[in-house]
Amino acid sequence: MNLFKRYFILFFIVLLVGCRHQEEPFNGNKEVRQMTLIYAVNNNNLSYDLKVNEDQMLKAMENVDPEEYKLLLYKYTSDGYGLYEVCNVNGRLQFVLLKSYEKSIPAVSADRISNVINDALGAYPGVPSNLFFWGHGLGWINPYKYSSTVIGKNASSESVEHLPEVYAFGGEYVEEDNVRNTVYIDLDQLADAIPDGKFDMIWFDCCYMSCIEVAYQLRNKCNTYVAYPTEIMGEGLPYNLVFPHIIGDNVDRVEAAKALYGYYTGKYSPDPVTVVVMDMESIDGVAEAAKRIIASGNILPSIAGMQNYSRMKGVGYYDFGQYMRKYADVNGKSSDADVEQLNLALKKFVIYSDASELDFRGYPIDKSNFSGLSVHNFANVNSAMDDYYRKLDWYKYVWQKPGVAE
């Protein structure tokens, strides 16, 4: 082989390795300054929405160097599950496969979530990182006892299977023996799958995840937590408008939340949208104030007229601030100072929140009773719902009485 051919082959190889299908990310010669991971559960009725969001993500990444600001996406395709990275390939940004994962393990498996997060963090260790969860959210509970349907060519009737009642995140289609189940991961399992102290921000781009129970369970996972107390439209975040405030040198998560809110305002009729940005370093003050109020008595406040962010039958997500004030009032032993302590703690914890005038039902959202967080009306009875609630960190710190076993 002559010298010219050798140089030509070497030059061609250099072009190919700039960004390629690989099992380990190629860092190039630039220092990675930030990593953002989006964990998408898209094997469901939201699959088209993710494709739209991917285009928005690529549009946003045109404003930064993808070698310095890494954007990783875990998703499902017809080929299976994979972790992808935004790369510049011949002058065009695209998602390039970094690692494939076993198809038999669903995305809502705690082991899968943990493995993907560890792979992303391991690829870029010590780099400031963000984590987005993309998919369906149900806060900490699912109100539906039955959700299975027979599918396939030979399916002649519906099959109903009793499923666990408590879920938090996912909504993934899992098929077994021609039966399609929509599966989620429980909140405590989800929290266990996320390592402590590794993320600057966690943002749930899905419904109902701004529960105090969810936030408290994730209190050691990130510095900033962003979520929605109500539902959000299927298209979710306008990533092309939000990412410029998240990815890059000028990080401003409040402005990112405002970009989301502004995008939906006036877009639909009604235009339901809520968003909340929380400082997780201040959540202990909220828990302490709530604990003092709950300790004042055992009488539950009436939920009549209380602001409810859920439109799911049989389950209420009541405004946290309003609920705690009513709890203090009905028990009568909690002082005004305790309520004021809660109000001050909430102001420190919730650094930004906003809500549209109407919710998804077309009902008004009372801004004077909008804390940005929801809470469960814990009845403390022998039920599947409350039995699971007793496993949560929020119950153990706020509700559990001294000397009472878990």
Side-chain angles (χ1 to χ4, degrees):
M1 182 182 295
N2 61 40
L3 186 62
F4 175 80
K5 287 184 177 179
R6 288 178 181 175
Y7 277 124
F8 179 82
I9 292 172
L10 179 62
F11 176 74
F12 184 72
I13 291 173
V14 170
L15 286 178
L16 286 180
V17 299
C19 203
R20 66 198 188 283
H21 179 127
Q22 54 198 344
E23 292 298 315
E24 293 296 335
F26 178 76
N27 295 334
N29 297 319
K30 297 182 179 180
E31 180 181 357
V32 177
R33 305 178 68 177
Q34 184 191 61
M35 188 274 289
T36 298
L37 169 64
I38 300 171
Y39 192 95
V41 177
N42 64 307
N43 184 18
N44 50 33
N45 62 338
L46 298 176
S47 58
Y48 174 77
D49 294 299
L50 182 61
K51 294 178 181 178
V52 174
N53 286 160
E54 285 183 47
D55 290 339
Q56 295 171 340
M57 295 171 197
L58 293 175
K59 182 68 176 177
M61 291 299 290
E62 293 176 358
N63 300 318
V64 297
D65 186 338
E67 287 298 312
E68 294 183 289
Y69 299 95
K70 295 294 182 179
L71 177 59
L72 278 62
L73 170 65
Y74 172 84
K75 64 175 181 176
Y76 175 84
T77 71
S78 58
D79 295 325
Y81 299 99
L83 181 63
Y84 297 77
E85 181 180 276
V86 172
C87 293
N88 189 327
V89 181
N90 297 325
R92 180 170 173 247
L93 293 179
Q94 57 186 267
F95 285 98
V96 176
L97 180 66
L98 297 180
K99 182 174 181 179
S100 299
Y101 296 86
E102 186 180 344
K103 198 171 183 178
S104 62
I105 300 176
V108 293
S109 160
D111 288 340
R112 173 56 53 81
I113 294 172
S114 177
N115 288 341
V116 172
I117 289 175
N118 288 334
D119 286 342
L121 293 173
Y124 304 111
V127 174
S129 300
N130 302 307
L131 174 60
F132 285 77
F133 282 105
W134 189 105
H136 284 295
L138 287 168
W140 66 274
I141 188 168
N142 174 24
Y144 305 109
K145 296 181 180 180
Y146 306 100
S147 58
S148 298
T149 304
V150 169
I151 60 172
K153 294 181 180 179
N154 298 323
S156 58
S157 62
E158 284 197 350
S159 172
V160 177
E161 175 184 347
H162 186 73
L163 299 174
E165 294 185 41
V166 181
Y167 309 125
F169 164 73
E172 181 178 23
Y173 292 158
V174 175
E175 299 175 13
E176 184 177 1
D177 298 329
N178 284 334
V179 175
R180 172 182 286 179
N181 293 331
T182 303
V183 296
Y184 292 73
I185 183 171
D186 289 356
L187 173 58
D188 57 333
Q189 296 177 19
L190 175 62
D192 289 344
I194 306 171
D196 289 354
K198 295 296 184 179
F199 292 102
D200 291 338
M201 181 195 71
I202 294 178
W203 187 317
F204 274 88
D205 190 20
C206 42
C207 305
Y208 295 126
M209 298 304 282
S210 186
C211 304
I212 189 62
E213 295 90 354
V214 174
Y216 195 71
Q217 199 77 24
L218 301 177
R219 66 194 181 280
N220 298 319
K221 310 301 178 180
C222 59
N223 300 322
T224 304
Y225 180 59
V226 187
Y228 325 128
T230 62
E231 293 168 276
I232 187 170
M233 293 292 184
E235 59 185 294
L237 279 175
Y239 286 87
N240 56 313
L241 302 179
V242 170
F243 268 3
H245 304 292
I246 299 295
I247 298 177
D249 293 330
N250 300 316
V251 175
D252 192 329
R253 290 152 193 151
V254 169
E255 286 301 315
K258 288 181 178 179
L260 163 67
Y261 186 79
Y263 174 78
Y264 281 106
T265 302
K267 185 175 178 65
Y268 299 100
S269 181
D271 54 355
V273 57
T274 57
V275 60
V276 184
V277 182
M278 292 158 263
D279 175 10
M280 296 296 263
E281 293 184 359
S282 301
I283 196 170
D284 287 339
V286 176
E288 182 61 33
K291 183 177 183 178
R292 290 174 63 90
I293 292 174
I294 295 300
S296 67
N298 298 313
I299 303 172
L300 295 178
S302 171
I303 60 175
M306 195 177 297
Q307 186 143 275
N308 179 11
Y309 299 123
S310 171
R311 61 172 177 163
M312 297 182 287
K313 294 181 179 179
V315 173
Y317 291 137
Y318 302 102
D319 185 86
F320 172 69
Q322 183 186 25
Y323 182 91
M324 297 308 299
R325 290 190 294 271
K326 285 196 172 187
Y327 194 102
D329 183 62
V330 75
N331 283 280
K333 298 178 183 177
S334 185
S335 68
D336 291 340
D338 292 335
V339 175
E340 182 60 21
Q341 179 187 359
L342 175 69
N343 292 336
L344 292 174
L346 278 173
K347 287 181 180 179
K348 291 182 179 180
F349 177 53
V350 178
I351 57 179
Y352 170 77
S353 66
D354 213 338
S356 52
E357 297 295 328
L358 303 175
D359 65 13
F360 276 80
R361 300 162 296 183
Y363 295 172
I365 296 178
D366 181 2
K367 295 293 187 73
S368 65
N369 284 317
F370 180 76
S371 67
L373 296 157
S374 68
V375 69
H376 172 49
N377 184 31
F378 177 59
N380 198 19
V381 297
N382 184 20
S383 68
M385 185 185 299
D386 279 3
D387 286 347
Y388 179 76
Y389 198 82
R390 295 182 186 95
K391 296 181 180 180
L392 300 180
D393 290 351
W394 180 257
Y395 166 81
K396 293 175 182 178
Y397 187 77
V398 173
W399 283 91
Q400 187 172 347
K401 308 299 181 183
V404 178
E406 295 179 8

